[in-house]
């Protein structure tokens, strides 16, 4: 019965996930070789830190169907191969964060890193607020989160626990318009975002 269940329910979607990830991985490596001078398969195969990152990311890719997480893993693989890559231990911490966090965590962290820049990249113009709160910025950027403050408060808490967002209850605090648009990410949060963004 277990074999039949696996064949009928799990085998096809698991194989599809594996195939999709391998295609993304090949694409990422080919782009690396095209953009980085003198980077060949031999260099990558001898880079133990890169191979470890690929193995970790590949296991994580099997556990998700969410495109944003798969894209973050793909970008992390590319960044792990570059000369300015974080050290191996930090790479593994960052990969674990991708595995644990939801796409909403990644979206909100990206917004909190710099709302004005986020607005330009996403073609969203924020009103010229004279005062308000960070929650107003959040709900303007993501209308789906309106009246879901219990959810996004949990997301912010998760990000704070991991040291990616500054501590304190800033979400519902009234502040100036300039304060509303300030970056809320920590130095660790900024390094994590660089690791999961496309390097090219």
């Amino acid at each position: 019965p277990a074999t039949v269940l696996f064949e009928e329910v799990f085998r096809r979607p698991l194989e599809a996930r594996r195939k999709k990830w391998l295609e993304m991985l090949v694409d990422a490596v080919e782009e690396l070789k095209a953009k980085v001078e003198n980077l060949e398969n031999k260099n990558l195969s001898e880079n133990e830190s890169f191979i470890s990152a690929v193995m970790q990311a590949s296991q994580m890719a099997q556990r998700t169907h969410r495109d944003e997480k798969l894209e973050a893993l793909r970008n992390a693989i590319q960044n792990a191969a570059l000369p300015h890559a974080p050290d191996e231990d930090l790479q593994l911490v960052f990969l674990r964060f991708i595995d644990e966090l939801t796409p909403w965590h990644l979206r909100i962290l990206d917004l909190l890193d710099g709302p004005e820049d986020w607005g330009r990249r996403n073609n969203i113009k924020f009103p010229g607020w004279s005062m308000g709160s960070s929650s107003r910025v959040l709900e303007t950027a993501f209308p789906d989160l309106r009246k879901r403050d219990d959810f996004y408060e949990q997301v912010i808490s998760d990000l704070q626990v991991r040291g990616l967002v500054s501590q304190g209850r800033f979400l519902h605090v009234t502040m100036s318009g300039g304060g509303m648009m300030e970056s809320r990410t920590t130095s660790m949060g900024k390094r994590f975002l660089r690791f999961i963004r496309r390097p090219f």
Side-chain angles (χ1 to χ4, degrees):
T3 303
V4 172
L5 180 67
F6 179 82
E7 288 293 323
E8 292 184 354
V9 178
F10 298 114
R11 184 174 61 82
R12 187 175 299 170
L14 289 175
E15 286 180 355
R17 287 187 182 193
R18 182 174 177 275
K19 181 173 184 263
K20 180 178 180 178
W21 171 248
L22 288 176
E23 289 171 354
M24 292 180 73
L25 193 55
V26 168
D27 176 67
V29 171
E30 291 303 317
E31 186 178 28
L32 268 173
K33 286 158 51 179
K35 300 277 178 125
V36 180
E37 191 174 356
N38 298 323
L39 185 64
E40 301 295 337
N41 289 345
K42 186 174 186 294
N43 308 110
L44 293 172
S45 69
E46 292 174 350
N47 183 339
E48 291 292 347
S49 178
F50 172 74
I51 297 300
S52 291
V54 169
M55 295 300 293
Q56 290 285 334
S58 296
Q59 291 174 13
M60 294 167 186
Q62 304 304 300
R63 294 196 287 268
T64 186
H65 66 283
R66 308 296 294 272
D67 288 337
E68 286 160 287
K69 293 185 65 156
L70 292 170
E71 184 69 16
L73 289 168
R74 177 198 183 280
N75 297 342
I77 290 304
Q78 287 191 321
N79 283 305
L82 297 178
H84 59 268
D87 67 61
E88 185 174 357
D89 291 328
L90 191 55
Q91 286 182 38
L92 295 178
V93 168
F94 286 164
L95 286 168
R96 177 170 57 82
F97 287 170
I98 300 171
D99 194 30
E100 294 171 347
L101 300 174
T102 70
W104 271 118
H105 287 85
L106 303 181
R107 289 176 205 140
I108 290 173
L109 183 66
D110 191 28
L111 170 70
L112 293 178
D113 190 46
E116 287 187 30
D117 180 59
W118 183 93
R120 281 191 292 272
R121 286 186 282 115
N122 292 276
N123 297 314
I124 291 180
K125 187 171 178 59
F126 293 105
W129 292 298
S130 59
M131 61 183 347
S133 64
S134 294
S135 62
R136 198 166 177 190
V137 177
L138 193 63
E139 292 182 10
T140 301
F142 304 118
D144 289 349
L145 292 182
R146 288 174 186 160
K147 297 185 179 178
R148 295 185 65 196
D149 28 335
D150 56 339
F151 172 71
Y152 65 71
E153 284 170 6
Q154 181 61 56
V155 169
I156 297 294
S157 176
D158 294 341
L159 295 171
Q160 288 176 325
V161 164
R162 289 164 177 79
L164 303 174
V165 168
S166 56
Q167 298 297 317
R169 299 178 66 82
F170 60 82
L171 266 177
H172 304 293
V173 175
T174 301
M175 59 191 80
S176 68
M180 293 169 70
M181 305 303 280
E182 282 183 6
S183 174
R184 301 289 170 187
T185 50
T186 62
S187 60
M188 182 70 80
K190 294 180 190 305
R191 293 179 74 183
F192 174 63
L193 284 170
R194 283 197 299 273
F195 189 62
I196 66 172
R197 286 172 176 158
R198 290 186 82 98
F200 307 116

